[in-house]
Amino acid sequence: LQTRLQAGQGYGNTLNCVLTVYRNESVVGFFKGMSFPLASMAVYSSVVFGVFSNTQRLLSQLRHGDPDSTPVLTDMALASMVAGFISVGIGTPVDLVKIRLQMQTQPYIQANMKVKPTVPGFPVYRGPIHCIRTVLQKEGIAGIYRGAGAMLLRDVPGYCLYFIPYTIFCGWITPDGCISPDPSSIWLAGGVAGAISWGTATPMDVVKSRLQADGVYLNKYKGTLDCILQSYQNEGLKVFFRGITVNAVRGFPMCSAMFLGYELSLKAMKRDQTETNP
C-alpha cells in the first residue's frame, strides 16, 4: 500500500488503495515483492542494530574508558547516523527490487500522458532474481542503487528518530530500581519509536519510492532534487505526505517486534556467556 500510494496513480487514499488493489489483483496483490525483503530482513536488521550498538560502545570507550557506560545523547545520535549510512548499502537494492515488482504493472504518468506496458498487466520482471539481472543489464550498478541519495536523506535522520526515542521512552516507562526494561516496556517503546521514525521519514520515503519505481518503462526523474521539484510542481506539498498513515501504523508493530527480538536476544546471549564463564 505504501508504495502504491507514494509512486502509483489513481489511489485517492489508503482505503481506496486497499479496495483497488483487492479488486484488481485479489489478495495476492498485497504480497507482491515480499520474498526478497523477507529473505534479507534478518541480515539487514542484524547489520543495523549491530552497527548502532558497536558504534555506541566504541564512543563510550573513547569518551569514558568503559564501553558499557551509559551513552550520552550525542553518542547515540552519531551511532544512529552511522547505522543509517551503512544501512543504505544493503537496503537500497532490496527496496528497489521490492518497488519494481510492486509497480511494474501500474500505469505511469509523464507529461499528463498515461504510459502502460505493451501488454496491459503483463509483468516486466518474473521475480526478484530476474529483476536484479535485468536492472544490472540495462542500468548497471548505478541502477541497482537508484534512489540511494534519497534513502540516505531518509535513513540518517530517520535512525536518529528511531534509536533515541526508543532509549528515552524505555527510560521513562521502566520502574526505578530495575536493571533493564521488561518486555512490555521494550514493546511499547519500540512501537512508539517506530511510529515516530517512519512518520517523519515519509517525505523522503516518497521521493525514494518514486525514484526507484521510475525506470520500469521510462526515466522521468534525473535525480533526487529533480524528483522533489517535479513532485512539488505537479502535486503540491501534500504529495510528500502520501502514505504517512500506512508508514506510522506499520512502524509500530514492526519496530516493536524488532526491538523486542533484539533486546531478548542480547539478554539470552549475556546469560549464556555468564553461565559459560562464571
Side-chain angles (χ1 to χ4, degrees), residues 34-160:
M34 183 184 72
S35 59
F36 197 45
L38 191 62
S40 59
M41 180 57 71
V43 174
Y44 178 82
S45 299
S46 297
V47 169
V48 169
F49 279 87
V51 168
F52 171 76
S53 60
N54 284 296
T55 302
Q56 195 169 246
R57 286 172 60 83
L58 175 62
L59 293 172
S60 294
Q61 174 70 44
L62 294 174
R63 186 184 295 273
H64 305 291
D66 180 9
D68 295 319
S69 63
T70 303
V72 297
L73 184 62
T74 52
D75 289 353
M76 283 193 290
L78 184 56
S80 300
M81 292 170 69
V82 173
F85 184 84
I86 297 298
S87 73
V88 173
I90 302 173
T92 302
V94 174
D95 273 14
L96 181 122
V97 171
K98 178 194 73 172
I99 287 172
R100 290 289 177 95
L101 290 173
Q102 289 173 342
M103 298 299 297
Q104 61 180 330
T105 57
Q106 298 298 298
Y108 203 95
I109 289 183
Q110 181 173 12
N112 298 321
M113 293 179 63
K114 287 189 178 181
V115 180
K116 296 186 178 181
T118 306
V119 180
F122 184 78
V124 177
Y125 311 113
R126 295 192 293 271
I129 302 302
H130 181 251
C131 179
I132 294 173
R133 189 167 63 244
T134 303
V135 173
L136 282 172
Q137 289 173 349
K138 293 183 177 180
E139 305 172 53
I141 295 294
I144 287 292
Y145 281 90
R146 186 173 178 82
M151 195 167 182
L152 270 174
L153 294 174
R154 184 196 74 174
D155 285 1
V156 171
Y159 276 113
C160 288

Side-chain angles (χ1 to χ4, degrees), residues 224-245:
T224 302
L225 181 59
D226 183 53
C227 180
I228 293 171
L229 294 175
Q230 283 198 50
S231 298
Y232 177 74
Q233 289 169 358
N234 295 333
E235 301 170 68
L237 191 61
K238 65 181 181 180
V239 68
F240 299 109
F241 297 94
R242 280 190 178 181
I244 189 170
T245 302

Side-chain angles (χ1 to χ4, degrees), residues 186-223:
I186 295 169
W187 182 87
L188 181 58
V192 172
I196 291 172
S197 176
W198 274 106
T200 54
T202 297
M204 289 313 303
D205 194 40
V206 171
V207 176
K208 181 198 72 71
S209 294
R210 290 188 164 210
L211 284 168
Q212 293 184 325
D214 189 41
V216 178
Y217 306 115
L218 42 81
N219 290 316
K220 182 179 179 181
Y221 306 115
K222 298 175 183 177

Side-chain angles (χ1 to χ4, degrees), residues 148-202:
M151 195 167 182
L152 270 174
L153 294 174
R154 184 196 74 174
D155 285 1
V156 171
Y159 276 113
C160 288
L161 294 172
Y162 184 59
F163 288 111
I164 294 176
Y166 168 74
T167 304
I168 293 173
F169 283 123
C170 261
W172 282 352
I173 60 183
T174 299
D176 293 337
C178 290
I179 299 175
S180 60
D182 58 63
S184 61
S185 298
I186 295 169
W187 182 87
L188 181 58
V192 172
I196 291 172
S197 176
W198 274 106
T200 54
T202 297

